[in-house]
Amino acid sequence: MGPKASIRDVAAAAGVSVTTVSHVLNNTSGTRVSAQTRERVETVARQLGYAANGLARGLRLQRSYALGLLGDVVAATGRAGRLVLGAQETASARGWVLLLTTGRDPEVERREIRALARHRVDGVLYATTDHRVVRVPDELRPMPVVLLNARSADATIPSVVPDERGGAATAVRELLAHGHRRIGFVTTVDDVPAAQGRLLGYREALWAAGVPYRPELVRADAGDPVGGHRAARALLAAADRPTALFCFTDAMAMGVYRAAAELGLRVPHELSVVGHDNQEVVADGLFPALTSVALPHHGMGAWAVETMVELLDRPKGARRRVARHVALPGQLVRRASVAAAPR
């Protein structure tokens, strides 16, 4: 086996400077390297079998090139798998390692934060399974933090959440486009950001279409199939019943399907239904399959990592002056639960 190629060998073969090779292979932000030059350097590096010395780079910049992802139960739940995947794929593409850990209660959380500190992570993505407002643990204050699927009263901490209003409006517009005008909303009794945002989106979509908001078409109950069933039975028992229902979650839509069947209403011929969250095991398992709004979990995970890396590239004194807060849009996944409004 011959001697290993050096960064100087790559630079000579690619016809560029050593500095340019370093910028390309270390994904250095803020540098002006053309796409053509970047591709040529990466091709030469592969051909020569050159790999950047990550340990040396970390020592030089006093970085571990490791990020922590700490959540309540986010890493252990299937529905948030794409959130973790988005973060992991983006970190890997940028040359970083993502350490996943779970804090199920305050004591476990403190222990996991200490473990992340021992591993000298450069920053922590603090994630929650459900969109909610959080208080960042004091133990995380010395570290750069980005909130994932959560918001904080502290506006200096960057955060990314789903666009709850936009997701609900998308669902209601789908029903409006099929001619429905009596559209009910089966929602949760929990006072959480998702419930607040989705009610606003429901009302805004109706208003934009010139359809009056009718409070009697909104029914709140437990945010599970049982609660969805009770809420749907109450709405569908009315003489002037809705011809379509938008559901806070796919789980509540399960109860709606059961209520419709008990009342002899066929989905979607006599009752159209749209869910939210796109829990595939639920949406694909219902008959007919449920149209639903997918949460932007993958994009949220990617955004959190990109924002963290950008944050770490700034001088320490400037990090808290550039906090960004975004709400990413969901996407409607059409299946078979929506049809034209019955005459």
Side-chain angles (χ1 to χ4, degrees), residues 1 16 22 92 127 130 248 266 270:
M1 184 179 295
V16 298
S22 177
S92 178
D130 299 304
F248 175 69
R266 295 175 301 156
E270 295 163 301

Side-chain angles (χ1 to χ4, degrees), residues 8-215:
R8 296 182 187 279
D9 296 328
V10 175
V16 298
S17 68
V18 170
T19 300
T20 298
V21 174
S22 177
H23 287 332
V24 170
L25 299 183
N26 290 322
N27 285 313
T28 306
S29 60
T31 57
R32 295 182 179 179
V33 180
S34 70
Q36 184 179 9
T37 299
R38 181 178 295 276
E39 184 179 358
R40 185 166 73 250
V41 169
E42 291 174 343
T43 300
V44 169
R46 283 195 300 271
Q47 291 172 346
L48 296 180
Y50 175 78
N53 190 332
L55 178 59
R57 177 172 56 127
L59 291 172
R60 184 175 69 254
L61 299 177
Q62 294 187 320
R63 286 186 181 177
S64 66
Y65 283 88
L67 301 176
L69 193 158
L70 173 65
D72 46 10
V73 290
V74 72
T77 55
R79 67 186 245 177
R82 288 188 59 78
L83 186 149
V84 175
L85 184 63
Q88 205 162 34
E89 288 179 346
T90 305
S92 178
R94 296 293 298 265
W96 291 68
V97 173
L98 190 68
L99 306 179
L100 307 181
T101 186
T102 299
R104 293 174 296 278
D105 59 59
E107 182 52 43
V108 172
E109 187 174 72
R110 283 191 289 270
R111 188 174 70 233
E112 295 302 314
I113 292 171
R114 290 194 295 269
L116 290 173
R118 286 195 301 272
H119 284 84
R120 300 186 182 278
V121 296
D122 293 313
V124 173
L125 312 180
Y126 189 70
T128 59
T129 303
D130 299 304
H131 174 190
R132 57 188 174 90
V133 178
V134 299
R135 181 183 180 278
V136 176
D138 292 337
E139 293 84 356
L140 281 179
R141 290 292 175 175
M143 307 181 194
V145 174
V146 173
L147 298 178
L148 183 48
N149 205 27
R151 294 183 289 113
S152 170
D154 185 348
T156 66
I157 304 175
S159 62
V160 58
V161 297
D163 180 1
E164 307 289 7
R165 291 169 66 171
T170 295
V172 176
R173 283 196 296 267
E174 176 73 359
L175 296 168
L176 289 165
H178 283 78
H180 295 277
R181 292 299 179 267
R182 295 194 306 280
I183 301 172
F185 182 25
V186 173
T187 188
T188 179
V189 293
D190 297 328
D191 186 21
V192 292
Q196 298 158 8
R198 292 176 196 180
L199 177 59
L200 283 174
Y202 164 79
R203 295 185 64 167
E204 288 172 357
L206 293 176
W207 178 84
V211 178
Y213 167 66
R214 295 167 56 184

Side-chain angles (χ1 to χ4, degrees), residues 251-274:
M252 295 194 81
M254 291 176 66
V256 169
Y257 270 50
R258 177 185 165 197
E262 291 171 350
L263 295 171
L265 298 173
R266 295 175 301 156
V267 177
H269 307 90
E270 295 163 301
L271 179 70
S272 288
V273 183
V274 176

